Amino acid sequence: MKYPFVSVVVGIRNEEKFIEECIESLLNLDYPRDSYEIIIVDGMSTDKTRDIVQKYPVKLLLNEKKNVAAARNLGVENARGELVAFTDGDCKADTQWLKTLVHEMQASPDDVVCFGGPNLIFDTDPVFGRVVGYAQESFLGSGGSAQSKNSTKKHYVSSLPNCNAMYKKAAIKEVGGFDERFVVGQDGDLNYRISKKGNKFLYIPNAKVLHHRRGTFKSFSVRMFKYGVWMAELFKKHGEFVRWYAFLPSIAILFAVILLITSIKFFIPSLLLLLALMTVYFILVFITSIQVTYKMKSKYGLFTLFIIPVQHVAYGLGFLYSFTNSPLISKESSCSDI
């Protein structure tokens, strides 16, 4: 196969714990070393991240805006390649990652401009993070989106997360790059604008990247709330839903509140309907928790019983919040927040 030059861009901030593992995986890719470059864009880290990066033969850029969208734009601007691959500082790329992406690009039609693969879980990560990761691979956790659901089949998708994606640089340039106003979901916004130009995204199960899952119950809830806000901001920006399931958690919350209020006057019918719907929902959550427990081969998979509801409620509240408050997309966020 031919080996076109690829620029690998990694946006980071305060990533001293994992950045060494990330860079070493990129340096050891099964791809000719003179046919790709590694660009690390640091969002003004305050820990030892920059000192670690400077030990390696990579290009280091400083991102004074700090947020991940600005990091990726800066990486694209300085990229020598016509192909730009993205991953995150807490990721570890499989040795065949880049070769697989390029091979699929060469075998695909011209209108396929983005290629990516699964966002896999480290078995050594903390229990809570692993449960969240596996729960978000389920249908209830992902809504069927390639952003979270790791399919084993190659197929076209509507979007690909930028912890594991390679673009034709011209496609990014055509739509003006990443929108630096967004707190989270900059890749989703970019992909939506690219798709509106008639372009396609290809999911490739063999293009593997491992992604560390971190955080606590509190940080998880806040992150889901931000995702809800982001999805609402996308709707307000583009005038249509980017994903079919975007409004469902919010509708469910509003419907539940209405049923509770009407139960004061129509006690039995409204309350029975609410109980019936909640029963169906928690049956689905229970089935999902069994699936996660089986995949993890651990009883801790049962934590899914409360992780999925918390995800849906936090996401739904974030979506509603965006419509009752001023936009949050202008607030700064660091690469480590994503």
Side-chain angles (χ1 to χ4, degrees):
M1 73 180 263
K2 295 180 180 179
Y3 295 97
F5 193 86
V6 183
S7 297
V8 181
V9 176
V10 186
I12 58 171
R13 186 170 191 269
N14 293 337
E15 204 65 76
E16 65 178 8
K17 185 176 181 181
F18 300 117
I19 188 59
E20 193 163 20
E21 178 183 49
C22 174
I23 292 176
E24 288 188 356
S25 73
L26 295 176
L27 288 173
N28 289 297
L29 293 173
D30 183 14
Y31 201 85
R33 190 64 192 88
D34 59 354
S35 294
Y36 73 101
E37 64 177 342
I38 301 170
I39 303 175
I40 307 294
V41 187
D42 180 64
M44 313 309 292
S45 291
T46 56
D47 61 5
K48 298 178 181 179
T49 296
R50 221 177 303 166
D51 293 333
I52 296 172
V53 173
Q54 289 173 338
K55 296 189 304 181
Y56 291 96
V58 300
K59 183 186 295 185
L60 175 62
L61 303 175
L62 298 184
N63 169 29
E64 294 183 356
K65 295 182 181 179
K66 299 181 182 179
N67 70 66
V68 70
R72 290 169 181 158
N73 280 337
L74 190 58
V76 171
E77 287 299 321
N78 287 272
R80 293 161 51 202
E82 292 306 311
L83 297 173
V84 181
F86 295 105
T87 190
D88 292 339
D90 54 357
C91 290
K92 178 181 179 181
D94 181 79
T95 56
Q96 300 297 311
W97 174 62
L98 194 56
K99 179 183 284 187
T100 301
L101 292 175
V102 170
H103 174 74
E104 292 294 342
M105 182 275 296
Q106 293 174 334
S108 297
D110 291 340
D111 61 350
V112 186
V113 300
C114 182
F115 309 80
N119 177 17
L120 301 175
I121 301 163
F122 279 92
D123 290 335
T124 55
D125 278 349
V127 170
F128 182 82
R130 284 187 286 131
V131 176
V132 169
Y134 283 114
Q136 291 185 330
E137 288 182 358
S138 67
F139 180 78
L140 280 186
S142 70
S145 168
Q147 297 283 353
S148 299
K149 184 181 179 183
N150 294 326
S151 173
T152 58
K153 296 182 179 180
K154 182 170 67 175
H155 61 286
Y156 290 116
V157 294
S158 60
S159 183
L160 287 164
N162 280 183
C163 59
N164 184 353
M166 184 186 75
Y167 294 80
K168 294 177 181 177
K169 186 166 65 174
I172 299 176
K173 292 283 193 177
E174 184 183 13
V175 297
F178 293 87
D179 188 336
E180 297 180 10
R181 297 174 299 163
F182 279 93
V183 174
V184 295
Q186 302 91 342
D187 46 2
D189 172 65
L190 175 79
N191 293 340
Y192 180 76
R193 287 182 281 125
I194 288 176
S195 68
K196 296 298 284 185
K197 295 287 187 180
N199 298 307
K200 296 179 181 178
F201 300 78
L202 184 63
Y203 173 88
I204 308 155
N206 291 331
K208 300 173 183 177
V209 162
L210 288 163
H211 198 170
H212 285 287
R213 263 64 173 189
R214 295 174 287 179
T216 61
F217 178 79
K218 179 181 178 181
S219 63
F220 170 69
S221 303
V222 171
R223 188 165 68 251
M224 289 303 105
F225 182 87
K226 288 182 178 180
Y227 282 148
V229 171
W230 156 64
M231 189 60 73
E233 295 299 334
L234 273 181
F235 172 74
K236 288 188 282 186
K237 176 180 178 179
H238 298 293
E240 57 183 321
F241 286 112
V242 176
R243 297 176 189 162
W244 66 269
Y245 54 84
F247 63 94
L248 293 182
S250 301
I251 295 296
I253 291 173
L254 291 174
F255 192 55
V257 170
I258 291 172
L259 287 178
L260 281 174
I261 294 174
T262 57
S263 67
I264 298 174
K265 185 175 182 180
F266 307 103
F267 179 74
I268 295 179
S270 295
L271 198 57
L272 286 178
L273 178 58
L274 178 59
L275 289 173
L277 293 174
M278 290 182 64
T279 298
V280 172
Y281 175 74
F282 279 105
I283 288 174
L284 294 175
V285 172
F286 178 74
I287 293 172
T288 300
S289 72
I290 297 300
Q291 293 172 336
V292 171
T293 300
Y294 176 78
K295 289 183 73 173
M296 289 185 66
K297 296 180 174 58
S298 169
K299 62 183 179 182
Y300 292 115
L302 294 174
F303 287 164
T304 305
L305 287 169
F306 72 86
I307 285 176
I308 290 291
V310 167
Q311 174 181 332
H312 290 164
V313 171
Y315 178 99
L317 291 175
F319 192 91
L320 293 172
Y321 179 89
S322 180
F323 283 97
T324 57
N325 292 269
S326 58
L328 298 185
I329 60 175
S330 61
K331 290 187 178 180
E332 181 182 272
S333 69
S334 69
C335 298
S336 59
D337 291 332
I338 307 304

